[in-house]
Amino acid sequence: MPTRSVGPHVQVYGDHALMVDVEGLADVHALAAALRLAPVPGVVDVVPAARTVLVLLDDRASVADLARVEDAVKVAWGSRSAVAQQGEGRLVEIPVVYDGEDLPDVAAWAGLTVAEVVARHSGREYVVAFGGFMPGFGYLTEVDPTIAAPRLATPRTRVPAGSVALAGDLTAVYPRATPGGWRLLGRTDVELFDVDRDPPALLTAGTRVRFREVDRLPGDVPLAGGAGVAAGGDRHSGGGDRHSGEGDGAPAGGAEVLATGPLALVEDEGRPGWASSGVGRSGAADQGALRLLNRLLANDDSAAALEVTLGGLVLQFHEWATIALAGATVSATIDGMAVGMQALLEVRPGAELRLGFAARGTRTYLGVRGGFDGTSVLGSRSSDVLAGLGPSPLRTGDRLAIGPRPARLPVVDLVAPRAEATGVVDLVVRRGVRDEWFDDDAWRDLLGATFEVSDASNRVGLRLSGPVVRRRSGELPSEGLVPGAIQVPPDGHPVLFLRDHPVTGGYPVIGVVPADALDVAAQLRPGDLLRFREAS
């Protein structure tokens, strides 16, 4: 008697997402394809992973919308067989020079020669299970178990772009240079991620892949005396654009950066809709502060502002402009005259804006009427520090363009300041989607503890030190993540993900901080104390 596939298990995940658990990778790909073929209103992305499909809704989604989309998921589940019968994924062939420094170790682990390892790696067809880790990174399954050597005990601080690597039953190609613990087998020059391509990721879920052994790549340089070839330089695609500078034909107006402080970035609402290509939404860490600025300035919600970490920014304006400040409170002057937060401020050509350093909070936002203009990457001007997409961090001498002023006029010139968190900060949290990894004691431990924000925190997330949250041992298959997810690694020290979080992760999520509370979390700095309080 034929076996029947068990139906999907659907759970609400945070404010605006559903996590769908299925039996295996074939069901993952079929359900994700069915949802894409029949788009559901309000759904902005579908993220396949090892055994789950994450369905992301837009920010306006209500409880009723979540229920409606859950019904649509069940309908798509019923049609997945017909979708699967439409054929296999496309085939991508990747040329590889097999000269990786870990080849001898893999051969020794497998009890084979290097040539036999190469033959087994290049002699079969792989399938992209899912994306994540970074834009364009695809996890490929169907590795020959004979060569499935585990990842390195100590990760490398730098893996070159284009590295073809192996980690147990998975293989992959690194789209850009990054730290990594996979074993290096070789290298390729295939462009895995290109923001001008549709989709930007070459290797999306369901794509079939073959590796073809070659002696050299087009960019290789022959060594003297026939001693082999030297690999070409690293490639990087998809962002890091410099802002206009004085020497490259920059416009006469706008604003010039005289000092940046520790970190200053261009940020807007973010780039939803690209998680299936390994690109997270990103955007302003404190979305509430950005929205307040744009409403005060009568900008469109999509207007970009500057996110200034801890203060210290100095700008000189080269045109008349209306500006405002929000977020972490800093002292500020225009041409030496003190000005306030969350108020409309007029600057003349030649005026100099100086921000002091924040006594509390982390991120101050500077908005301008018309928004800061610049090159859009995948529909957003946001800088994503994890993915390396969008504008580079500001540097002294950069020139910032200002966009066209909106037709509507501001209706107020000052709003009351938002209360700043002091003492131990309480953050609302809802249970996550992996209760089976935690017992009731772990949930009580999370709610009863006071945690400290560690020095290793940034826009990606807050690493928390303090009491250990106990979890089940083992390894969770990678699955999609949402902003506000609280992941618990094996050491038991939680990580609260912020706006530049990875698209997928392999540690269980015990809870999710909702969007409003996440804005509060984005203003915490190393040394700040926090507690989690269960949502009513």
Side-chain angles (χ1 to χ4, degrees):
M1 184 174 179
T3 58
R4 290 181 56 198
S5 181
V6 178
H9 177 50
V10 185
Q11 301 178 78
V12 174
Y13 191 10
D15 293 322
H16 309 118
L18 298 173
M19 179 66 84
V20 186
D21 287 82
V22 296
E23 283 194 320
L25 197 55
D27 283 339
V28 166
H29 290 168
L31 177 58
L35 287 168
R36 292 195 185 101
L37 282 175
V40 181
V43 172
V44 297
D45 216 339
V46 175
V47 189
R51 295 176 190 167
T52 59
V53 177
L54 177 63
V55 182
L56 297 169
L57 283 69
D58 64 35
D59 291 345
R60 297 181 296 276
S62 64
V63 173
D65 290 325
L66 288 167
R68 172 180 56 79
V69 173
E70 180 175 349
D71 290 340
V73 167
K74 294 174 181 176
V75 171
W77 175 258
S79 67
R80 75 195 187 286
S81 297
V83 173
Q85 291 170 5
Q86 294 181 11
E88 298 177 309
R90 61 193 174 87
L91 177 65
V92 172
E93 187 176 83
I94 297 178
V96 179
V97 175
Y98 283 95
D99 58 0
E101 59 186 281
D102 294 323
L103 262 176
D105 290 339
V106 174
W109 180 89
L112 301 171
T113 66
V114 166
E116 287 171 331
V117 171
V118 171
R120 288 174 184 260
H121 188 263
S122 61
R124 62 197 295 131
E125 187 172 285
Y126 301 89
V127 177
V128 181
F130 54 94
F133 178 50
M134 69 174 67
F137 190 99
Y139 293 85
L140 312 184
T141 60
E142 312 297 335
V143 170
D144 185 328
T146 308
I147 63 169
R151 65 185 66 200
L152 299 171
T154 302
R156 289 181 171 86
T157 57
R158 186 178 183 278
V159 175
S163 293
V164 177
L166 179 75
D169 60 357
L170 296 170
T171 188
V173 183
Y174 282 79
R176 62 186 180 92
T178 180
W182 292 36
R183 296 184 183 271
L184 305 187
L185 304 183
R187 53 190 173 83
T188 185
D189 61 353
V190 169
E191 197 70 69
L192 296 174
F193 188 82
D194 182 352
V195 295
D196 296 320
R197 184 168 56 204
D198 186 17
L202 179 66
L203 305 181
T204 55
T207 301
R208 297 176 296 134
V209 178
R210 276 191 172 275
F211 294 109
R212 175 171 54 87
E213 184 182 9
V214 297
D215 293 330
R216 58 179 295 179
L217 300 171
D220 289 345
V221 179
L223 295 176
V229 297
D234 279 349
R235 303 168 314 284
H236 176 70
S237 174
D241 291 341
R242 287 285 353 127
H243 309 273
S244 297
E246 287 290 350
D248 58 6
E256 182 181 354
V257 179
L258 302 185
T260 64
L263 179 67
L265 303 170
V266 177
E267 298 292 346
D268 58 19
E269 291 182 303
R271 48 180 67 83
W274 299 102
S276 57
S277 287
V279 179
R281 175 167 177 167
S282 188
D286 183 345
Q287 290 279 320
L290 177 69
R291 285 193 298 271
L292 186 151
L293 268 186
N294 281 331
R295 289 171 186 169
L296 183 60
L297 293 162
N299 283 335
D300 291 337
D301 289 341
S302 60
L306 301 186
E307 180 180 281
V308 184
T309 299
L310 301 177
L313 180 74
V314 181
L315 294 184
Q316 184 175 48
F317 286 84
H318 294 277
E319 62 180 277
W320 287 98
T322 303
I323 62 174
L325 296 163
T329 299
V330 293
S331 60
T333 63
I334 296 175
D335 290 339
M337 181 177 296
V339 294
M341 301 284 296
Q342 298 176 175
L344 294 181
L345 307 169
E346 299 294 330
V347 293
R348 59 171 180 79
E352 191 172 284
L353 170 71
R354 288 183 171 268
L355 303 187
F357 289 91
R360 286 193 300 270
T362 301
R363 296 173 174 94
T364 301
Y365 292 84
L366 169 64
V368 62
R369 190 160 153 75
F372 287 102
D373 208 356
T375 303
S376 177
V377 177
L378 300 179
S380 170
R381 297 179 178 86
S382 284
S383 176
D384 184 333
V385 299
L386 179 67
L389 288 177
S392 299
L394 297 187
R395 295 190 309 204
T396 300
D398 283 346
R399 197 71 166 262
L400 300 166
I402 298 173
R405 277 54 168 179
R408 64 178 183 271
L409 297 173
V411 294
V412 296
D413 57 9
L414 176 69
V415 296
R418 186 175 66 181
E420 291 187 325
T422 58
V424 180
V425 176
D426 285 335
L427 295 179
V428 172
V429 63
R430 300 189 179 102
R431 279 188 181 263
V433 293
R434 291 292 163 245
D435 284 349
E436 70 273 18
W437 280 78
F438 306 95
D439 58 24
D440 288 337
D441 288 340
W443 181 246
R444 285 193 291 269
D445 289 344
L446 181 77
L447 298 179
T450 297
F451 297 98
E452 181 177 339
V453 179
S454 81
D455 291 340
S457 302
N458 55 22
R459 279 180 47 89
V460 176
L462 303 181
R463 294 186 180 273
L464 306 179
S465 59
V468 168
V469 176
R470 288 161 291 182
R471 46 157 277 188
R472 196 177 89 194
S473 61
E475 193 166 326
L476 176 75
S478 290
E479 58 187 23
L481 291 170
V482 297
I486 304 170
Q487 211 178 55
V488 182
D491 66 6
H493 294 292
V495 178
L496 169 57
F497 282 119
L498 301 181
R499 298 293 175 180
D500 282 0
H501 66 86
V503 171
T504 59
Y507 299 137
V509 170
I510 191 171
V512 182
V513 172
D516 289 348
L518 194 61
D519 288 341
V520 176
Q523 292 295 353
L524 298 179
R525 60 169 68 179
D528 284 346
L529 302 178
L530 67 88
R531 290 185 298 247
F532 293 107
R533 175 171 54 84
E534 187 168 10
S536 57

